[in-house]
Amino acid sequence: MKTIIRNARVLTMDDGDTILNRANVLIDGDVIAAVGPDVAFPEGDVREIDGGGRLVMPGLINAHFHSPVNHLKGSLDSLPLEIFMLYESPALDAAAMSARAAYVRTMLGAMEMLKNGVTAVQDDAFFVPAPTPEIIDAVMQAYADSGIRATMALDQPDVPEIEKLPFLGDMLPPNLKADLSAPAPMDSVGLLECYDHLIRSWHGAEGGRLSAAVSCSAPQRVTPDYFAALDDLSRTHDLPFYIHMLETKLQRVLGDEKFGGRSLIRYVHDLGFLSERLNIIHAVWIDDADIDLIAAAGSVVAHNPISNLRLGSGVMPFRKLRDKGVPICLGTDEAIADDAINMWLVAKFAGLIHNITDPDYERWPKAAEVLDCLIRGGARAMRPSVKLGRIAPGYQADLIMVDLDTLPFTPLNDLKRQLVYCETGSSVRLTMVAGRVVVEDGKVSTVDEAALRAEARAHAARFAGNQSEVDQAAADLQPYYREMYLKAAGRQVGMNRWVGDAAHAIQQG
Ligand SMILES: [Zn+2]
């Protein structure tokens, strides 16, 4: 099956950011076969799409996401990460979900992304209390059915909660200390069996549209032995390796307290696991030496500006990373920390937040740089076995059509700036993944959306009965986590990634 889009404006995202003002795009199977003003109408079975007044551009890539909380958007007021996680990922059976509910919640996120023009997602999926083959299959089947391109890893710790955090051992009463010292719900042997299932069953499935990644969640959340096994798996299969590092100031302090004064970046470097396969997620509280290590290793950094604001984590040093040539991709993080799952908003925030960290306006992000992170950075992070992120022959036909006869683009002054600063997803008219149209004129073609929403509400109603146990467990721990958080917040760490007087205010008490 061939498709030709005729007479569209095309943002190619080639090395020169070429914009073609009027061109045809020919798609043959899952790849782009030809692009240009003179591409002729092909022979045979062809679908023709009128691109007049519309823009064709590569689909957006959500390079960091956690699908298991897709059903929890808007559930919490803003909280710091360490306290937020008590509610978001408690290791309680009460928080476990059926495979069908996991399928439905995964589909909710996939639909929302596809409708907004996201064609690919990297899902760092955590399962509470632990993953099973059935639930892995449910999530991957949802991605298969939705039509989105997806890479999934299992974001699971294998150390007790108390070992991941500073100070708590001295603060907790004995009963809570015992609770938090319990072994992780699944050991590394069990987790590696789950990875074996994920890779055997799903890596390369759906014609390569689905793939596996590995994740250690964060270096402080795993044993060095499990970390090594994951690094091995990542190298053997050439899989992206997801790792949250220095998201919060507390994690900087953790390096002082538990890793001999080393930053977590240096700790991972010393273990030998900094590599070009790593997706370093957040990298907010990194210093210049960390940036040099990241650049030397060739790792990618995943920037999640809305999540970082929602959880008060701080502002990533964007320009310093760019100056050292570190590739940056963009992500929403999860739907409970960036509740809209909207990559247009992420791009806009990435284009704005850094302006208040540096008075030198020549160092502020430009719209073209934000698009570079959004598209090229995302494609780089995914390590795909196919070519992604460009409207050019030989690249995957992962593309969107944006209506330019809409208010965000009227009048059309500068395409790239209006994509970054004006568009919110409302002008997306078509989303194509691997040559297949999955959204057209606001409708997802791969699923009965209304039925799915109704089922999601039914699952949520059943799940609500378990929420009180989760809330009670979190409430019991909250005072101690607050004390820990404030102690770390008041520590001098030789840098400040909060804006304005935040660091000063906390040191004044
Ligand atoms: Zn994350």
Side-chain angles (χ1 to χ4, degrees):
M1 173 75 181
K2 290 179 179 152
T3 305
I4 188 163
I5 303 173
R6 304 184 81 179
N7 301 321
R9 198 179 291 253
V10 178
L11 176 64
T12 61
M13 291 304 291
D14 66 7
D15 290 336
D17 275 354
T18 306
I19 297 172
L20 306 170
N21 285 329
R22 192 180 177 88
N24 300 338
V25 180
L26 176 63
I27 297 123
D28 187 356
D30 60 354
V31 296
I32 296 167
V35 183
D38 304 320
V39 173
F41 203 88
E43 306 267 305
D45 184 15
V46 182
R47 179 176 177 198
E48 183 181 358
I49 296 171
D50 180 14
R54 295 182 171 191
L55 171 75
V56 171
M57 65 177 283
L60 313 188
I61 297 174
N62 186 356
H64 182 56
F65 185 59
H66 303 276
S67 70
V69 281
N70 285 351
H71 60 301
L72 292 179
K73 51 173 51 180
S75 289
L76 294 173
D77 274 327
S78 297
L79 288 168
L81 175 82
E82 292 79 17
I83 294 167
F84 160 87
M85 284 180 75
L86 293 174
Y87 297 89
E88 165 240 26
S89 54
L92 295 173
D93 291 336
M97 253 195 187
S98 70
R100 178 65 195 177
Y103 176 93
V104 170
R105 78 182 178 203
T106 307
M107 195 62 102
L108 286 179
M111 285 193 306
E112 189 153 22
M113 286 188 275
L114 287 170
K115 291 176 86 161
N116 279 324
V118 172
T119 52
V121 61
Q122 296 206 101
D123 187 359
D124 191 24
F126 51 81
F127 297 101
V128 289
T132 61
E134 293 71 33
I135 210 147
I136 291 168
D137 291 347
V139 172
M140 292 308 277
Q141 191 62 52
Y143 286 134
D145 294 348
S146 72
I148 202 169
R149 186 178 300 280
T151 297
M152 188 183 83
L154 308 174
D155 172 340
Q156 306 292 144
D158 79 326
V159 301
E161 172 76 3
I162 201 162
E163 290 180 22
K164 307 171 198 166
L165 296 160
F167 313 133
L168 270 185
D170 300 328
M171 293 173 172
L172 289 167
N175 60 327
L176 292 178
K177 190 171 172 179
D179 287 351
L180 296 194
S181 303
M186 185 174 273
D187 64 14
S188 60
V189 175
L191 292 171
L192 290 168
E193 283 172 5
C194 288
Y195 267 111
D196 189 49
H197 175 79
L198 171 66
I199 293 169
R200 268 191 300 107
S201 306
W202 294 102
H203 187 52
E206 299 288 315
R209 183 164 59 78
L210 304 182
S211 55
V214 302
S215 171
C216 72
S217 187
Q220 71 275 16
R221 297 177 192 150
V222 289
T223 56
D225 283 350
Y226 180 48
F227 203 159
L230 291 173
D231 181 61
D232 217 41
L233 210 50
S234 158
R235 185 184 302 102
T236 302
H237 300 279
D238 195 23
L239 309 178
F241 191 143
Y242 308 151
I243 181 167
H244 295 73
M245 282 206 271
L246 295 173
E247 176 174 359
T248 65
K249 186 174 182 184
L250 181 137
Q251 292 173 5
R252 186 92 212 167
V253 171
L254 183 73
D256 292 342
E257 292 292 315
K258 291 215 165 181
F259 295 97
R262 291 176 292 177
S263 82
L264 288 167
I265 302 278
R266 183 163 293 280
Y267 167 66
V268 173
H269 167 266
D270 292 352
L271 288 173
F273 301 146
L274 272 190
S275 78
E276 80 286 354
R277 286 170 276 108
L278 280 199
N279 281 206
I280 298 175
I281 302 153
H282 302 303
V284 172
W285 291 83
I286 52 174
D287 62 15
D288 291 352
D290 294 328
I291 292 172
D292 287 339
L293 292 175
I294 294 167
S299 309
V300 181
V301 167
H303 182 29
N304 307 275
I306 294 181
S307 166
N308 294 156
L309 284 170
R310 186 84 156 86
L311 305 183
S313 301
V315 185
M316 185 194 83
F318 178 88
R319 181 56 61 200
K320 284 187 170 188
L321 286 161
R322 293 279 295 186
D323 282 349
K324 295 283 180 171
V326 174
I328 296 171
C329 55
L330 302 182
T332 56
D333 214 342
E334 65 216 90
I336 189 173
D338 180 349
D339 311 56
I341 328 181
N342 183 315
M343 287 303 297
W344 300 99
L345 297 181
V346 169
K348 180 167 182 167
F349 274 78
L352 295 177
I353 185 70
H354 306 286
N355 300 356
I356 52 170
T357 65
D358 189 340
D360 185 351
Y361 54 88
E362 291 184 356
R363 294 174 59 75
W364 295 354
K366 305 281 188 291
E369 284 185 289
V370 175
L371 291 172
D372 175 58
C373 297
L374 180 60
I375 308 289
R376 292 193 201 97
R380 161 71 185 79
M382 291 186 80
R383 304 185 76 73
S385 57
V386 289
K387 292 175 162 183
L388 274 189
R390 195 180 286 201
I391 307 296
Y395 278 74
Q396 281 288 297
D398 286 17
L399 57 83
I400 59 175
M401 237 173 38
V402 177
D403 191 351
L404 299 177
D405 185 19
T406 55
L407 293 172
F409 297 98
T410 304
L412 188 59
N413 297 310
D414 182 280
L415 181 66
K416 290 176 207 160
R417 289 192 202 113
Q418 281 166 277
L419 285 169
V420 172
Y421 299 122
C422 304
E423 174 58 11
T424 59
S426 62
S427 308
V428 174
R429 295 289 175 266
L430 179 141
T431 304
M432 174 184 281
V433 183
R436 176 186 183 201
V437 174
V438 290
V439 176
E440 199 164 9
D441 294 327
K443 291 230 168 4
V444 186
S445 60
T446 51
V447 63
D448 180 344
E449 205 186 318
L452 202 97
R453 286 198 306 267
E455 190 179 350
R457 283 189 284 269
H459 285 299
R462 272 195 293 280
F463 197 65
N466 298 354
Q467 193 57 38
S468 58
E469 187 183 334
V470 173
D471 289 349
Q472 186 56 54
D476 291 346
L477 291 167
Q478 234 254 41
Y480 308 101
Y481 276 61
R482 176 175 167 79
E483 189 183 348
M484 166 187 75
Y485 166 81
L486 290 174
K487 185 167 175 178
R491 179 79 68 87
Q492 294 284 356
V493 294
M495 71 177 80
N496 178 32
R497 298 280 180 244
W498 284 321
V499 173
D501 290 333
H504 181 70
I506 208 140
Q507 275 148 22
Q508 300 299 301

